[in-house]
Amino acid sequence: FPSSSRDTYLATTYPAGFASIKRCVLVLPDGLTTRTTIDPLPLKRTWCLWEWFSAMSSPMGCDFSIAFTPKAQREFDADILRDYNKLMHVMLAHVSASESEAFLESDEARLKRLIGRCCKNGLDEFESVIRRGLREWLTYEARHALEIAMEGSVKHNRDFHHGSKNH
């Protein structure tokens, strides 16, 4: 793609693709706990943030979730019941588009310029959209974990539907 064609693709066609897929999954293989000392890498990658933003800002809606290994999921579930506020802080503190990186410096620069053009308030608005989606997801997970703990259920469905009235 020539630079201007690629920017147009990233600003229009790419986000529309999420609407057609209707699903975005952020994988944090090391999990996310209140004891997390290493930044969750996908939240520090420019491409991952752009994909997350594209999914969350899709006008047609796009379901998203965060996936963990089974062990990391158990730790996350225990932490979310133990200290929801601290877990929220740990998660949201890692979102920083200005400090994010891409493998190719040219991709990083292009995406950050695009963010500035797509978002009226630049990186602040971009990060706000991502944080809002993460906050909604974490709140959903907290409610779900509490329901499971109260029911003592082993089997449960973790699907979160961003923008859905059913959560």
Side-chain angles (χ1 to χ4, degrees):
F1 288 115
S3 182
S4 62
S5 296
R6 184 164 182 167
D7 287 357
T8 301
Y9 170 80
L10 289 173
T12 58
T13 308
Y14 195 81
F18 278 99
S20 67
I21 295 170
K22 300 191 183 289
R23 183 85 172 174
C24 179
V25 179
L26 173 64
V27 178
L28 296 177
D30 295 328
L32 179 71
T33 72
T34 56
R35 297 169 303 284
T36 298
T37 55
I38 299 171
D39 293 340
L41 185 61
L43 295 176
K44 294 295 187 178
R45 305 300 296 169
T46 310
W47 272 110
C48 292
L49 292 174
W50 177 254
E51 291 167 356
W52 196 260
F53 174 81
S54 295
M56 286 191 229
S57 60
S58 168
M60 297 176 69
C62 181
D63 296 343
F64 65 89
S65 59
I66 297 178
F68 306 108
T69 62
K71 179 179 181 264
Q73 184 69 59
R74 286 188 299 277
E75 290 173 359
F76 174 80
D77 288 345
D79 258 15
I80 203 168
L81 292 173
R82 187 174 32 251
D83 198 343
Y84 168 80
N85 288 330
K86 186 173 181 183
L87 189 58
M88 177 77 73
H89 174 74
V90 166
M91 180 179 228
L92 298 183
H94 291 297
V95 177
S96 177
S98 62
E99 295 177 16
S100 68
E101 299 175 341
F103 180 75
L104 298 175
E105 287 181 25
S106 59
D107 280 353
E108 180 181 331
R110 175 178 283 122
L111 286 167
K112 288 180 180 179
R113 277 193 315 273
L114 186 60
I115 290 165
R117 289 198 313 262
C118 289
C119 299
K120 186 172 144 182
N121 296 316
L123 293 177
D124 289 340
E125 181 180 338
F126 178 81
E127 290 173 359
S128 177
V129 168
I130 294 169
R131 284 189 179 107
R132 182 177 58 247
L134 293 173
R135 203 171 16 256
E136 288 175 4
W137 174 82
L138 191 59
T139 300
Y140 169 83
E141 286 293 316
R143 287 182 183 143
H144 189 74
L146 185 58
E147 288 173 7
I148 298 303
M150 289 171 54
E151 293 174 7
S153 175
V154 175
K155 184 177 179 183
H156 55 281
N157 181 348
R158 298 198 80 85
D159 288 341
F160 171 71
H161 304 286
H162 177 67
S164 171
K165 303 292 183 214
N166 297 327
H167 56 83

